Amino acid sequence: MEEEARRRTLYGRRRGKKLRSGQQSLLDTLLPRLAIDLPRPPDGVAPEPLDLARLFGGALPKGGVWLEVGFGAGEHLVWQAKTHPEVGLIGCEPYLNGVAKCLAHVEREGVDNVRLMTDDARLLMAALPAGSLGRVFVLFPDPWPKTRHHKRRFVQRETLDRLAELMVPGAELRLATDDPSYLPWMVEHACTHPAFEWLAERPADWRGRPDDWPATRYEKKRIAGIPTFLRLRRR
Ligand SMILES: C[S@@+](CC[C@H](N)C(=O)[O-])C[C@H]1O[C@@H](n2cnc3c(N)ncnc32)[C@H](O)[C@@H]1O
């Protein structure tokens, strides 16, 4: 119960409407082949760094490893995996209905370079080796608009500091939001972070997506407002 309460404050809900039998079957059969199962060390003991070569079948992917935090239904993650077969894609998403949708994309597209963590991305980030990520996507994270909930936002000094440790110099951090209060927060926290350089030179750079950045399911719903796209480079 206590664990469940912790989860709710971290990222909201874990299950939505009842899964269809095909979705449940993907969770039962395909997910175990792709899932990242982190060892849980006792409190206060740092986890062993994750062996990424082993995770991707015995060798590090030639194009490096990219991470997508909160992939939703996974269409962007799988598009990136298919477009960049030389890259290993890790996706983190605790919402199981989204994970099931992502597995359907993985199966349909026949990609074998995706691995999934069905929990809070920060647990995975604690276990990744330093300098192991070549690109990170945080697309339309939950805005937690109430001031008292701002501390739950994924984009925080602490997570950015950790991402800076995990990302190789020159690696790109892609952020997107359509929430009018999260945008200035992202600019304040990420674009001014000393480890990151904001790549925008003109408004068109944050108003439009680059060609290799397909629209996510959430973006297409146009829930909050105008989507904004931020690209930053690890210095
Ligand atoms: C508004 S949705 C956007 C989903 C997707 N990126 C898109 O654009 O369609 C935010 C997602 O982030 C996930 N999420 C929230 N906190 C997270 C965390 N700490 N680690 C991983 N995923 C998280 C939620 O479960 C949710 O699916």
Side-chain angles (χ1 to χ4, degrees):
M1 199 58 194
E2 210 174 277
E3 173 72 355
E4 202 44 46
R6 180 191 72 84
R7 287 179 189 286
R8 274 202 302 276
T9 58
L10 286 176
Y11 41 65
R13 58 189 187 152
R14 186 144 169 87
R15 277 182 188 274
K17 63 181 179 196
K18 192 173 178 329
L19 295 166
R20 290 194 301 272
S21 66
Q23 292 179 314
Q24 187 60 53
S25 144
L26 285 170
L27 287 175
D28 293 339
T29 56
L30 183 53
L31 181 60
R33 306 212 305 268
L34 309 182
I36 302 173
D37 196 13
L38 289 183
R40 297 277 175 109
D43 279 353
V45 178
E48 285 284 311
L50 194 64
D51 184 344
L52 289 175
R54 200 164 145 210
L55 182 68
F56 284 100
L60 276 177
K62 285 195 177 61
V65 175
W66 296 0
L67 169 68
E68 180 165 348
V69 173
F71 58 71
E75 62 291 302
H76 174 273
L77 181 76
V78 173
W79 186 93
Q80 293 292 352
K82 189 160 187 179
T83 310
H84 302 282
E86 73 291 356
V87 172
L89 269 296
I90 298 180
C92 289
E93 175 56 66
Y95 183 50
L96 284 176
N97 299 57
V99 173
K101 289 197 170 96
C102 179
L103 290 168
H105 291 303
V106 167
E107 189 177 57
R108 192 175 316 124
E109 299 299 336
V111 292
D112 63 1
N113 53 339
V114 169
R115 300 293 179 273
L116 301 178
M117 158 96 173
T118 59
D119 209 328
D120 187 336
R122 284 167 284 201
L123 297 172
L124 176 82
M125 286 161 56
L128 284 172
S132 59
L133 297 178
R135 189 168 290 188
V136 177
F137 307 94
V138 187
L139 309 181
F140 304 96
D142 299 307
W144 295 109
K146 291 185 183 146
T147 309
R148 70 175 190 278
H149 291 152
H150 283 179
K151 56 183 178 298
R152 298 182 188 176
R153 287 178 163 172
F154 185 83
V155 176
Q156 293 278 349
R157 179 66 195 228
E158 202 185 342
T159 29
L160 290 164
D161 287 349
R162 181 61 185 152
L163 284 176
E165 288 168 358
L166 295 176
M167 294 170 70
V168 291
E172 199 175 310
L173 171 61
R174 292 187 174 181
L175 306 175
T177 187
D178 62 351
D179 185 89
S181 79
Y182 210 166
L183 177 59
W185 174 281
M186 280 183 177
V187 172
E188 185 192 331
H189 288 79
C191 299
T192 65
H193 189 288
F196 293 100
E197 177 194 1
W198 187 15
L199 295 173
E201 288 173 0
R202 55 186 80 81
D205 294 335
W206 64 80
R207 288 186 187 144
R209 279 176 286 108
D211 290 342
D212 64 341
W213 185 334
T216 66
R217 188 181 160 89
Y218 179 88
E219 181 192 333
K220 285 182 191 156
K221 287 186 190 165
R222 286 260 171 167
I223 287 172
I226 299 165
T228 303
F229 309 94
L230 306 178
R231 294 173 59 223
L232 301 98
R233 187 192 294 128
R234 174 73 176 97
R235 291 182 194 276

